[in-house]
Amino acid sequence: VVYLTAVMLKSGQERSELSAYDDPVPMTSKRIVSADGLSATMPPEIIPETFYASCPPDDVARAMARLVPQATDPIKRTVSTTPERFGTVRRAYIECLQDRAIPIAMQRAMIAGQPCEKVFTIDTDHSPFYSAPDELAAHLLTLSAS
């Protein structure tokens, strides 16, 4: 499993336990929750700076046009894994130093709590597939060779 500047919780943990690392306001408090509570979106005005701060404007526009509501249930759930199953899955993490959605301190706290076989660092935002695609591809190719 490759976590790309993503939430990676250990067994027994839930997303709210990481709110101390949100900077300065928890990301979950910025969401616009649907009337039925099943999904949420982010306010459009904060999306470019939060998720695509290093990306070219054309890529930001294309990305925003493809955004869809995100289910809220996974954010509220406590993770439950076992050493016998998930513990045997090889993990790698690609951290992004300028990520404003998942700050680097939070990424590193998750890596410390759920160690990975390999950790790569990219000096970019939350969306390296737009802002640093060649560097991201190089890291993924390194993983595929191991």
Side-chain angles (χ1 to χ4, degrees):
V1 174
V2 179
Y3 290 87
L4 176 56
T5 190
V7 175
M8 179 180 68
L9 303 175
K10 59 186 177 184
S11 190
Q13 193 174 33
E14 61 185 60
R15 169 63 178 85
S16 65
E17 292 177 44
L18 297 171
S19 63
Y21 296 100
D22 281 323
D23 183 31
V25 178
M27 184 61 61
T28 54
S29 71
K30 297 175 185 176
R31 299 175 302 150
I32 301 168
V33 179
S34 63
D36 61 10
L38 297 177
S39 65
T41 57
M42 298 300 287
E45 64 274 8
I46 72 166
I47 290 173
E49 198 61 29
T50 302
F51 298 101
Y52 309 109
S54 303
C55 299
D58 288 350
D59 286 341
V60 175
R62 273 192 296 280
M64 288 183 65
R66 290 169 175 78
L67 292 176
V68 297
Q70 181 176 5
T72 55
D73 190 54
I75 297 168
K76 300 182 241 175
R77 286 189 182 253
T78 301
V79 171
S80 179
T81 60
T82 64
E84 300 79 24
R85 304 274 317 246
F86 185 70
T88 63
V89 175
R90 295 173 62 197
R91 288 182 300 280
Y93 198 100
I94 301 174
E95 62 181 19
C96 293
L97 296 175
Q98 297 178 44
D99 190 340
R100 294 179 183 156
I102 305 175
I104 190 63
M106 182 188 296
Q107 293 174 64
R108 291 184 173 163
M110 291 183 292
I111 293 166
Q114 185 79 302
C116 296
E117 189 175 310
K118 294 190 183 216
V119 176
F120 299 98
T121 302
I122 301 177
D123 189 15
T124 193
D125 59 21
H126 186 73
S127 304
F129 36 87
Y130 286 121
S131 57
D134 293 339
E135 189 173 358
L136 174 59
H139 291 314
L140 294 172
L141 288 170
T142 297
L143 289 169
S144 71
S146 61

